[in-house]
Amino acid sequence: DVKVTQSSRYLVKRTGEKVFLECVQDMDHENMFWYRQDPGLGLRLIYFSYDVKMKEKGDIPEGYSVSREKKERFSLILESASTNQTSMYLCASKAGGWQPQHFGDGTRLSIL
Amino acid sequence: DQQVKQNSPSLSVQEGRISILNCDYTNSMFDYFLWYKKYPAEGPTFLISISSIKDKNEDGRFTVFLNKSAKHLSLHIVPSQPGDSAVYFCAASANSGAGSYQLTFGKGTKLSVIP
């Protein structure tokens, strides 16, 4: 079974802080993704990466950056956290081709 | 512009009956469709998929139907069980320039199966 592990289930930070969300997958997948899920809005793609050190913007990249130094790890960075970034953050990975994305259990982030 | 639409935010069904969840899409470049199930406080779990070359895919109690001319797909659950109560997301993908098959998700339908 594919295992996608997000470092924290719950996180509380203050406005203006730099926040790091970590994600690790154990299946040697090339592709990794960061989403946020908000009520009534579904899942929205923030950034994705199709290889080490490669990254592409998703639909809502503003206020976020990412880092992929190793194939198994994909980090989401909130450069200066704001209250509108309070959300559920979901990481996913997938193999190449027509394969499904596999998700972690999410990080519930609150920015106070 | 919402490219994947799930027009029913919620659905209630009696245990043992059929649940039908619907999804419409607008982008004719989508070539792969998936359904995910999500329980509260958990990540989405892949349920079933279908490629655009097929019109039906079945896996146990779950069947997905694709009508390309109508740009519509549906998920049938027969028989419905209380454990099926969850939020169901429809998702679609097209081969992006990076070949990464990124997904576009609908907003979800909350299914409640009543015992």
Side-chain angles (χ1 to χ4, degrees), chain A residues 51-100:
Chain A
D51 202 351
V52 176
K53 297 192 187 293
M54 306 303 290
K55 61 185 179 184
E56 292 278 343
K57 292 180 180 178
D59 299 319
I60 50 164
E62 296 79 19
Y64 303 95
S65 63
V66 289
S67 172
R68 191 155 181 215
E69 296 296 318
K70 293 185 178 181
K71 193 174 186 180
E72 68 270 19
R73 186 179 296 270
F74 192 35
S75 303
L76 179 70
I77 304 155
L78 285 66
E79 297 291 344
S80 176
S82 64
T83 54
N84 63 11
Q85 292 178 309
T86 291
S87 187
M88 168 71 87
Y89 288 87
L90 292 159
C91 175
S93 74
K94 75 179 285 291
W98 287 0
Q99 296 294 323

Side-chain angles (χ1 to χ4, degrees), chain A residues 9-10 31 33 35 37 40-43 45 48 50 56 58 88 90 94 97-106, chain B residues 31-32 34 36 38 41-46 51-53 89 93 96 98-108:
Chain A
R9 292 299 303 272
Y10 301 94
N31 305 288
F33 307 82
Y35 295 87
Q37 182 195 2
L41 296 179
L43 278 71
L45 181 65
F48 66 99
Y50 54 90
E56 292 278 343
M88 168 71 87
L90 292 159
K94 75 179 285 291
W98 287 0
Q99 296 294 323
Q101 293 184 18
H102 298 272
F103 285 83
D105 282 336
Chain B
D31 55 9
Y32 184 51
L34 307 91
Y36 283 83
K38 187 180 184 300
E42 293 184 12
T45 303
F46 168 69
S51 73
S52 58
I53 61 174
F89 290 100
S93 75
S96 75
S100 60
Y101 294 92
Q102 57 186 111
L103 294 177
T104 301
F105 283 84
K107 294 183 179 181

